[in-house]
Amino acid sequence: MAERIRDMKVVLARIGKPHGLRGEVTVQLHTDDPERRFPVGAVLDTEAEAGTGVPRALTIASTRVHRGIWLLTFEEIPDREGAESLRGTRLVLDDATPAATDDDAYYEEDLVGLEVRDPSGATLGAVSGLEIGPAQDRLVLTLTDGVTAYVPFVRRIVPTVADDHVVVDAPPGLFDLYREGTE
């Protein structure tokens, strides 16, 4: 699931630290399909802090996975110094791009405020956030008793996302783990 930013762009990844001397960078993925999103030759728009000198678009020169971490190089970035300047830059797609639409893509602003129900329909609380993780995303829930809980945002645990609610089929005892620290 991907993160959306204000100007209707879908964030595919956030650039991390350089890797090696030839301009390779680590990326924190915000997409479930990096093979399709990052083919060699793809040109991706960037979102960076003003005045950083980061190009408005980067062309992927190579991709690889090293110890479970995605590494990218860009035609415009020849060395480690250039790679360091990219740290924190977001790689984005225009939300109107057909490749950016996924049947199971939800954005934080679409989820926050939705009522959370268990499979029987009983109210558990409300969605208060979405955390994008390197392996999987997590819904942040505020339970009816005020406790904050986290659930993996996967179909097995969150089988339904509707216009006004989500269904959370949490494993037994999951929410009790979050309550233990508040007592």
PDB file of all heavy atoms in Angstrom, residues 11 16 60 99 121 127 174:
ATOM      1  N   VAL A  11       3.718   8.072  -3.351  1.00  0.00           N
ATOM      2  CA  VAL A  11       5.110   7.838  -2.993  1.00  0.00           C
ATOM      3  C   VAL A  11       5.421   6.352  -3.177  1.00  0.00           C
ATOM      4  O   VAL A  11       4.778   5.499  -2.577  1.00  0.00           O
ATOM      5  CB  VAL A  11       5.391   8.270  -1.534  1.00  0.00           C
ATOM      6  CG1 VAL A  11       6.835   7.963  -1.158  1.00  0.00           C
ATOM      7  CG2 VAL A  11       5.091   9.746  -1.344  1.00  0.00           C
ATOM      8  N   GLY A  16      17.247   6.449   1.068  1.00  0.00           N
ATOM      9  CA  GLY A  16      17.998   6.429   2.314  1.00  0.00           C
ATOM     10  C   GLY A  16      19.452   6.767   2.081  1.00  0.00           C
ATOM     11  O   GLY A  16      19.792   7.633   1.267  1.00  0.00           O
ATOM     12  N   ILE A  60      16.185   5.507 -13.618  1.00  0.00           N
ATOM     13  CA  ILE A  60      16.780   4.329 -12.978  1.00  0.00           C
ATOM     14  C   ILE A  60      17.797   3.691 -13.920  1.00  0.00           C
ATOM     15  O   ILE A  60      17.478   3.340 -15.062  1.00  0.00           O
ATOM     16  CB  ILE A  60      15.690   3.318 -12.577  1.00  0.00           C
ATOM     17  CG1 ILE A  60      14.808   3.944 -11.498  1.00  0.00           C
ATOM     18  CG2 ILE A  60      16.324   2.012 -12.088  1.00  0.00           C
ATOM     19  CD1 ILE A  60      13.697   3.066 -11.006  1.00  0.00           C
ATOM     20  N   ALA A  99      -0.572   3.119 -13.852  1.00  0.00           N
ATOM     21  CA  ALA A  99       0.263   2.179 -13.099  1.00  0.00           C
ATOM     22  C   ALA A  99       0.191   2.439 -11.605  1.00  0.00           C
ATOM     23  O   ALA A  99       0.542   1.591 -10.807  1.00  0.00           O
ATOM     24  CB  ALA A  99       1.709   2.274 -13.571  1.00  0.00           C
ATOM     25  N   GLY A 121     -19.511  -7.250  13.902  1.00  0.00           N
ATOM     26  CA  GLY A 121     -20.093  -5.920  13.741  1.00  0.00           C
ATOM     27  C   GLY A 121     -19.963  -5.035  14.963  1.00  0.00           C
ATOM     28  O   GLY A 121     -20.346  -3.868  14.930  1.00  0.00           O
ATOM     29  N   VAL A 127      -9.918   4.140  13.220  1.00  0.00           N
ATOM     30  CA  VAL A 127      -8.587   4.198  12.617  1.00  0.00           C
ATOM     31  C   VAL A 127      -8.029   5.594  12.890  1.00  0.00           C
ATOM     32  O   VAL A 127      -8.674   6.598  12.600  1.00  0.00           O
ATOM     33  CB  VAL A 127      -8.636   3.933  11.098  1.00  0.00           C
ATOM     34  CG1 VAL A 127      -7.251   4.089  10.480  1.00  0.00           C
ATOM     35  CG2 VAL A 127      -9.212   2.553  10.800  1.00  0.00           C
ATOM     36  N   LEU A 174      -4.635  -9.934  21.010  1.00  0.00           N
ATOM     37  CA  LEU A 174      -3.780  -8.895  20.443  1.00  0.00           C
ATOM     38  C   LEU A 174      -3.973  -7.553  21.140  1.00  0.00           C
ATOM     39  O   LEU A 174      -3.016  -6.913  21.570  1.00  0.00           O
ATOM     40  CB  LEU A 174      -4.015  -8.735  18.939  1.00  0.00           C
ATOM     41  CG  LEU A 174      -3.216  -7.607  18.282  1.00  0.00           C
ATOM     42  CD1 LEU A 174      -1.716  -7.914  18.338  1.00  0.00           C
ATOM     43  CD2 LEU A 174      -3.662  -7.392  16.854  1.00  0.00           C
TER      44      LEU A 174
END
